[in-house]
């Protein structure tokens, strides 16, 4: 679309390099060509803009084959405007002088023309072709037929249109028919897949058998080598035992020699130590004897002194005890004489009572006394007789 700006009642148009602009003023052609830039008045100017670049037109339509099967055709037509003057004269490419937009839809008209023309030739070729042939060779046939039909279409050069290329993207039947057509191929593919699976399984079984045989051979070889290993281990063990025995013997002899030497050295050392200890003990015994003798003499002197002191003390104590015994005896004798003098004047009953009292004081403890009737009767009789007297 052309770029139009306003300046004080004038308009300035700037076109693109792929846009062919035609400017008429008062019925006369003033400017004509692509990539133009000029000033104009909107009230007296008639402008048209024709695109001259290659354009892609995608189209999709349905057709019916000779066996009455519906197919969808997807195609693309590349075209361009080769004669802008003829195209502007046949189609309305005029633009608004204020906005630069097309007043109508010329490209839609071109698209309708090309689509209907291509669809007519595609329908013509597919109507005489079966579905299977159309699916196999239909794309090439439809593309060639559309290209040839558009090349020979007289209306396109008269409109200034040139066909650049025709491409048929796809030619598809209805989904149900497509699934039905895919079924045999799927079955074949499945059969091939099954056959490949069976062959793969057979190969796998054969390989497993080979692997099992190799494993068995490996186990046999491993068992044989293990037997050799056991024999070698036995030989090594015996050799190691012999070497250990020889080493133990050498160590034992060395240890015995060392022990003998140590014993001899220890014996010599013990002898020396014994002699030194004996001499020391002799000296200690002499010193102890002298010390004991001195202690014995000192103890004997001390014992003599203690014995003499103890004898003197015993003599004094004996004398004191004898004097005390004499004095006690004299006092007791005097007390006894006084007691006899006192009791000599007392009657017999009182003496009996005092005797009973002393007897009671010296008797052991008695919890209870049982008096029989005979004893009580006798006592009472004696008591009554005494009162009568």
């Amino acid at each position: 679309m052309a770029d139009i700006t306003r300046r004080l009642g004038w308009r300035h148009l700037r076109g693109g390099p792929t846009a062919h602009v035609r400017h008429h003023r008062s019925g006369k052609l003033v400017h004509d060509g692509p990539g133009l830039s000029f000033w104009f008045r909107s009230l007296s100017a008639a402008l048209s803009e024709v695109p001259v670049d290659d354009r892609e037109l995608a189209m999709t339509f349905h057709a019916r084959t000779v066996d009455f099967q519906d197919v969808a055709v997807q195609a693309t037509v590349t075209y361009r405007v080769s004669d802008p003057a003829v195209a502007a004269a046949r189609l309305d490419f005029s633009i608004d002088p204020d906005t630069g937009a097309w007043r109508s839809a010329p490209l839609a008209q071109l698209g309708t023309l090309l689509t209907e023309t291509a669809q007519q030739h595609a329908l013509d070729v597919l109507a005489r072709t079966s579905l299977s042939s159309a699916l196999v060779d239909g794309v090439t046939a439809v593309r060639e037929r559309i290209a040839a039909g558009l090349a020979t279409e007289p209306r396109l050069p008269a409109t200034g249109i040139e066909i650049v290329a025709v491409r048929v993207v796809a030619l598809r039947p209805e989904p149900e028919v497509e699934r039905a057509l895919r079924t045999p191929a799927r079955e074949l593919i499945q059969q091939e897949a099954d056959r490949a699976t069976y062959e793969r399984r057979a190969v796998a079984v054969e390989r497993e058998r080979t692997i099992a045989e190799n494993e068995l051979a490996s186990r046999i070889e491993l068992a044989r080598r293990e037997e050799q290993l056991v024999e070698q281990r036995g030989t090594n063990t015996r050799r190691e035992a012999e070497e250990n025995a020889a080493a133990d013997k050498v160590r034992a002899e060395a240890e015995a020699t060392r022990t003998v030497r140590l014993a001899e050295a220890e014996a010599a050392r013990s002898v020396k130590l014994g002699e030194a200890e004996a001499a020391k003990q002799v000296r200690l015994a002499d010193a102890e004897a002298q010390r004991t003798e001195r202690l014995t003499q000192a103890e004997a002197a001390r014992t003599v002194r203690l014995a003499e002191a103890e004898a003197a003390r015993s003599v004094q104590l004996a004398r004191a005890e004898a004097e005390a015994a004499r004095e006690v005896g004299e006092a007791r004798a005097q007390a006894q004489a006084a007691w006899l003098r006192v009791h000599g004047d007392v009657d017999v009953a009182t003496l009996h009572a005092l005797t009973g009292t002393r007897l009671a004081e010296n008797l052991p403890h008695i919890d209870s006394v049982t008096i029989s009737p005979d004893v009580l009767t006798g006592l009472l009789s004696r008591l009554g007789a005494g009162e009568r007297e």
Side-chain angles (χ1 to χ4, degrees):
M1 184 178 67
D3 184 14
I4 297 177
T5 58
R6 300 180 182 182
R7 293 290 186 277
L8 301 175
W10 288 84
R11 305 289 186 272
H12 183 269
L13 183 145
R14 183 177 59 187
T18 60
H20 188 96
V21 178
R22 293 172 62 85
H23 175 208
H24 292 80
R25 184 176 58 200
S26 299
K28 295 181 180 180
L29 183 63
V30 180
H31 299 93
D32 184 16
L36 297 180
S37 179
F38 55 88
W39 292 91
F40 66 94
R41 286 185 175 274
S42 60
L43 296 178
S44 62
L47 301 174
S48 61
E49 182 183 15
V50 181
V52 294
D53 57 338
D54 292 349
R55 291 183 173 268
E56 301 285 342
L57 176 63
M59 60 186 70
T60 301
F61 53 88
H62 290 268
R64 181 171 294 181
T65 62
V66 70
D67 47 3
F68 305 101
Q69 298 295 327
D70 187 44
V71 294
V73 181
Q74 296 179 1
T76 302
V77 176
T78 304
Y79 69 95
R80 64 184 178 87
V81 179
S82 59
D83 193 345
V86 176
R90 297 295 299 270
L91 299 175
D92 186 9
F93 282 96
S94 62
I95 60 176
D96 190 291
D98 293 327
T99 62
W102 279 318
R103 295 173 182 264
S104 60
L107 296 181
Q109 296 178 6
L110 284 177
T112 302
L113 174 62
L114 293 174
T115 301
E116 291 179 352
T117 304
Q119 183 177 0
Q120 178 180 359
H121 294 289
L123 293 175
D124 186 24
V125 69
L126 289 174
R128 295 190 297 271
T129 307
S130 62
L131 178 62
S132 58
S133 300
L135 294 177
V136 176
D137 301 324
V139 174
T140 303
V142 171
R143 183 181 66 248
E144 292 177 353
R145 183 59 181 273
I146 292 175
L150 291 177
T152 58
E153 179 65 31
R155 188 179 175 184
L156 296 180
T159 314
I161 304 300
E162 180 183 356
I163 302 300
V164 178
V166 176
R167 299 189 302 277
V168 177
V169 180
L171 197 151
R172 295 181 177 275
E174 293 181 348
E176 294 81 1
V177 177
E178 187 174 5
R179 284 194 295 270
L181 293 174
R182 288 178 179 176
T183 301
R186 287 182 178 177
E187 292 295 332
L188 292 176
I189 294 172
Q190 188 63 39
Q191 291 177 5
E192 290 294 329
D194 293 341
R195 185 177 60 80
T197 301
Y198 297 149
E199 291 179 356
R200 185 172 62 255
R201 289 180 180 177
V203 172
V205 170
E206 182 65 23
R207 290 180 178 177
E208 289 179 358
R209 183 181 63 80
T210 304
I211 292 172
E213 292 178 354
N214 293 334
E215 289 180 352
L216 181 60
S218 299
R219 290 179 181 178
I220 294 172
E221 181 65 21
L222 181 61
R224 186 178 63 80
R225 292 187 178 182
E226 286 181 353
E227 183 179 0
Q228 294 178 356
L229 180 61
V230 169
E231 294 178 356
Q232 186 64 34
R233 284 180 178 176
T235 303
N236 294 337
T237 303
R238 288 192 300 272
R239 185 179 301 172
E240 184 177 0
E242 293 174 356
E243 292 178 356
N244 290 334
D248 293 340
K249 182 178 179 181
V250 172
R251 284 195 297 269
E253 291 177 354
E255 187 68 23
T257 303
R258 179 174 173 273
T259 304
V260 169
R261 291 178 180 176
L262 290 175
E264 291 176 353
E266 186 67 23
R269 179 174 173 274
S270 298
V271 169
K272 292 180 181 180
L273 290 175
E275 293 176 353
E277 186 68 23
K280 180 182 178 182
Q281 291 295 331
V282 169
R283 290 194 298 271
L284 291 175
D286 294 340
E288 186 66 24
Q290 294 175 4
R291 177 176 171 276
T292 303
E293 184 178 358
R294 288 194 298 270
L295 290 175
T296 301
Q297 293 175 0
E299 185 67 24
R302 179 174 174 275
T303 302
V304 169
R305 289 192 298 272
L306 289 175
E308 292 176 354
E310 185 66 25
R313 179 174 172 276
S314 299
V315 170
Q316 291 176 359
L317 287 175
R319 291 176 181 177
E321 288 178 357
E323 186 66 24
R326 185 181 61 78
E327 291 177 357
V328 169
E330 291 178 355
R332 285 181 179 179
Q334 293 176 3
Q336 188 69 24
W339 185 79
L340 290 175
R341 284 192 303 269
V342 171
H343 286 81
D345 298 335
V346 179
D347 56 1
V348 176
T350 302
L351 292 174
H352 287 167
L354 291 173
T355 302
T357 301
R358 290 293 183 88
L359 180 62
E361 290 177 356
N362 295 320
L363 288 175
H365 178 70
I366 299 172
D367 291 334
S368 61
V369 176
T370 303
I371 300 175
S372 64
D374 296 337
V375 176
L376 182 61
T377 301
L379 291 175
L380 291 176
S381 297
R382 291 177 182 178
L383 182 60
E387 289 179 355
R388 285 194 299 270
E389 293 177 356

